[in-house]
Amino acid sequence: MWLKPVVLRDADLTKRLSAETTVAWCREAILAAHRGELLAPPRAHADLGDGRFAFTAGRLVGRWYGYRSYDTLPTETGEQTVVVHSEQSGRVEGVAVGKEIGPMRTGAIGGVAADALAAPEASTMGIVGCGPQAWMQLWAINAVRTLSGVSVFCRDPETRRRFAANASERYGLEVRAADSAEAAVSGAQIVVLATSSGTPVVDTGAIDGSAYVSTLGPKQIGRAEFDDSLARRAGLIVTDSLPQLRAYDPPFVLRDTEHEKRIVSLGSVLAGDTQPRPGTLFCSVGLAGTEAYLVARLLGL
Amino acid sequence: MWLKPVVLRDADLTKRLSAETTVAWCREAILAAHRGELLAPPRAHADLGDGRFAFTAGRLVGRWYGYRSYDTLPTETGEQTVVVHSEQSGRVEGVAVGKEIGPMRTGAIGGVAADALAAPEASTMGIVGCGPQAWMQLWAINAVRTLSGVSVFCRDPETRRRFAANASERYGLEVRAADSAEAAVSGAQIVVLATSSGTPVVDTGAIDGSAYVSTLGPKQIGRAEFDDSLARRAGLIVTDSLPQLRAYDPPFVLRDTEHEKRIVSLGSVLAGDTQPRPGTLFCSVGLAGTEAYLVARLLGL
């Protein structure tokens, strides 16, 4: 009993979770949620004054249940926790603590989505945003497509230059810092928006009509990194969690628009119930239970 | 960095948390919440199908923030987790995993309440319920009053006999198994209701008019171990958390009764803002943040 729970730290995760493995496991999780085997309720919150805790729970019925907790207080590290219980015993089998698990699974969900929704031959990518989320999107999408050129833009020239240099070195790719968001996405077959902006970050007209577009950043009424022009150009709109999208408060930016009813789940695409189409828009909201799924997989539960 | 987080298990808690210490620390926490230094929002929940996660969070402003998680799935162990972050770094400083922390802090809150609200010379105690919560109430109240006689009742004769024998041995007290709830509480100066019953468990008329009464079990409309006759006899009604009481869904059993407005916080009694009175009713709801407070105290945060 003294061996439980297993405690995993960032180094354990980054060592054992390659992009390929993480994408494959997130794909399993999304399909399990689609089949109703993985319960993934909307996030719960607890108020902490000038910030709050968020809890994203999940349960693989008959196997395990768990959650990730994170907070929005302005701390130095922003560490998060994942807890996984065995369903039969109730015992806490594993605890993961660190900063990596959140971005890794969000990255991997982005990899699953790009694999399912971008053209198989897509090889050019434009990224708006230079933070950890942008970095992990590249990490995951690089594992599902053979990329030949990547452009990245964010407001600070030094930050985008560093992102491009680091990414070139890490992945052996041609990664270029662009002078504008429009220049970054122009001609790209895969477009990733991964900012914390509350207003649209790119002119939709600059995006190729058949490009696959993924949005990671704010997507609530009054605070969104895109507007409905991005939905209008999309032949298909997909999200990793319809319940999470519907639970947004303030509401999802496309709520009560003509586009709202067109949104389908990524699980339905993976299951073959929905056919992918050129020009798809993917709204990443963070399917609950996916972090616990990764930790449970690492523990062999 | 490899030493963080500290992981505490039940044996660490039971070894280091005496009843006296746990009551003293819970008293600090309740006073800190009363002064607004400890933020203690109502519980958050996440649906898990035939059960759910509950998260009780807290933040000692400027020092730490954390939570306890527990669930209502029918597992063998019912293990819970407490996570505490340093406020400045955001780092997870400690994780406690096990079954003891919840009952220990609920017991200790009961000890704080009995110490503040029962007559100083109270020495006789009647307990209805024989589960872990009842056990921990005795553990804590025994630390704040010199008990001369304790009676206990629950429906199963063997269970109450065993509770009485174990408690007599553990605390060197005269603990007697009673034949009915009324017999258990009759003549007692301290009455503890700690059942999981959805209907009243004792005839209020059997309780001495000046006795201090504490209720630990269900207290929601449609499912409560007491009815408003217990409130009617009470000169004062106290709870450890007014926000938690107001957040109950279904609502608190005294909601929209003449008694609702009379309820005051235990913190206000400890601070001297409310004077204790004979015949007080204490409604224990579990002030959030108290479990994290205990773990933070153990870690010296």
Side-chain angles (χ1 to χ4, degrees), chain A residues 183-268:
Chain A
V185 305
S186 176
Q189 295 158 297
I190 297 174
V191 171
V192 170
L193 310 182
T195 75
S196 56
S197 172
T199 55
V201 292
V202 67
D203 176 357
T204 300
I207 300 173
D208 192 272
S210 65
Y212 161 73
V213 181
S214 172
T215 159
L216 278 290
K219 43 180 75 64
Q220 292 173 283
I221 288 175
R223 183 166 177 267
E225 65 174 356
F226 65 97
D227 59 27
D228 63 356
S229 66
L230 202 67
R232 219 174 300 130
R233 65 170 284 289
L236 182 65
I237 307 177
V238 180
T239 183
D240 48 330
S241 175
L242 286 164
Q244 180 61 40
L245 205 65
R246 292 189 187 116
Y248 270 153
D249 179 22
F252 178 53
V253 66
L254 299 179
R255 173 89 147 247
D256 296 330
T257 70
E258 57 186 308
H259 309 294
E260 190 183 10
K261 290 203 185 86
R262 300 199 291 130
I263 306 174
V264 301
S265 75
L266 180 55
S268 77

Side-chain angles (χ1 to χ4, degrees), chain A residues 7 17 21 23 31 47 71 101 116 119 132 180-181 186 210 213 243 247 261 270 282 290 294:
Chain A
V7 178
L17 286 172
T21 298
V23 169
L31 269 168
D47 183 34
D71 67 82
I101 188 86
S180 69
S186 176
S210 65
V213 181
K261 290 203 185 86
L270 298 181
F282 176 63
T290 39
L294 294 176

Side-chain angles (χ1 to χ4, degrees), chain B residues 11-202:
Chain B
D12 303 303
L13 298 180
T14 51
K15 187 171 153 190
R16 295 174 61 186
L17 285 172
S18 68
E20 287 75 10
T21 299
T22 315
V23 169
W25 288 356
C26 276
R27 189 177 198 280
E28 289 177 4
I30 294 165
L31 270 167
H34 178 70
R35 288 192 297 258
E37 295 159 10
L38 176 67
L39 307 183
R43 245 159 261 180
H45 297 98
D47 183 34
L48 293 173
D50 54 324
R52 59 183 189 167
F53 265 124
F55 303 96
T56 74
R59 176 186 179 193
L60 191 64
V61 177
R63 303 274 289 278
W64 55 260
Y65 58 100
Y67 61 87
R68 172 176 65 120
S69 68
Y70 63 96
D71 67 82
T72 62
L73 290 173
T75 64
E76 291 159 15
T77 66
E79 279 198 350
Q80 313 187 344
T81 307
V82 178
V83 173
V84 181
H85 295 249
S86 150
E87 180 168 315
Q88 199 192 332
S89 70
R91 202 176 291 280
V92 177
E93 298 285 335
V95 176
V97 170
K99 297 176 287 184
E100 296 293 339
I101 187 87
M104 284 178 90
R105 75 86 202 229
T106 306
I109 289 173
V112 175
D115 194 27
L117 301 169
E121 70 283 4
S123 62
T124 53
M125 181 162 155
I127 306 175
V128 183
C130 295
Q133 294 289 3
W135 183 264
M136 297 312 285
Q137 291 297 312
L138 178 57
W139 170 76
I141 294 174
N142 183 52
V144 300
R145 285 296 179 274
T146 305
L147 297 176
S148 60
V150 177
S151 275
V152 65
F153 173 78
C154 60
R155 279 173 306 180
D156 182 51
E158 177 52 26
T159 306
R160 65 195 188 229
R161 198 200 57 73
R162 205 177 329 120
F163 185 105
N166 290 345
S168 297
E169 189 183 324
R170 168 78 183 269
Y171 300 112
L173 290 172
E174 191 199 316
V175 182
R176 192 174 60 84
D179 290 334
S180 70
E182 288 71 25
V185 305
S186 175
Q189 295 159 296
I190 297 174
V191 171
V192 170
L193 309 182
T195 76
S196 56
S197 172
T199 55
V201 291
V202 66

Side-chain angles (χ1 to χ4, degrees), chain A residues 4 9 48 50 59 77 89, chain B residues 9 48 50 59 77 89:
Chain A
K4 299 290 177 62
R9 296 174 181 82
L48 293 173
D50 54 324
R59 175 187 178 191
T77 67
S89 71
Chain B
R9 295 172 182 83
L48 293 173
D50 54 324
R59 176 186 179 193
T77 66
S89 70

Side-chain angles (χ1 to χ4, degrees), chain A residues 8-119:
Chain A
L8 301 170
R9 296 174 181 82
D10 278 344
D12 303 303
L13 299 180
T14 51
K15 187 170 153 191
R16 296 173 60 186
L17 286 172
S18 69
E20 287 75 9
T21 298
T22 315
V23 169
W25 289 357
C26 277
R27 190 177 197 280
E28 290 176 2
I30 294 164
L31 269 168
H34 178 69
R35 289 192 296 258
E37 296 159 8
L38 176 66
L39 307 183
R43 245 159 262 182
H45 297 98
D47 183 34
L48 293 173
D50 54 324
R52 60 183 190 167
F53 265 124
F55 303 96
T56 75
R59 175 187 178 191
L60 192 64
V61 178
R63 303 274 289 278
W64 56 259
Y65 58 100
Y67 62 87
R68 171 175 65 120
S69 68
Y70 63 96
D71 67 82
T72 61
L73 291 174
T75 64
E76 290 159 15
T77 67
E79 278 198 352
Q80 312 188 344
T81 307
V82 179
V83 172
V84 182
H85 295 250
S86 150
E87 180 168 315
Q88 200 193 332
S89 71
R91 204 175 290 280
V92 177
E93 299 286 335
V95 175
V97 169
K99 296 175 285 184
E100 295 293 340
I101 188 86
M104 284 178 90
R105 74 87 201 228
T106 306
I109 289 173
V112 174
D115 194 28
L117 301 168

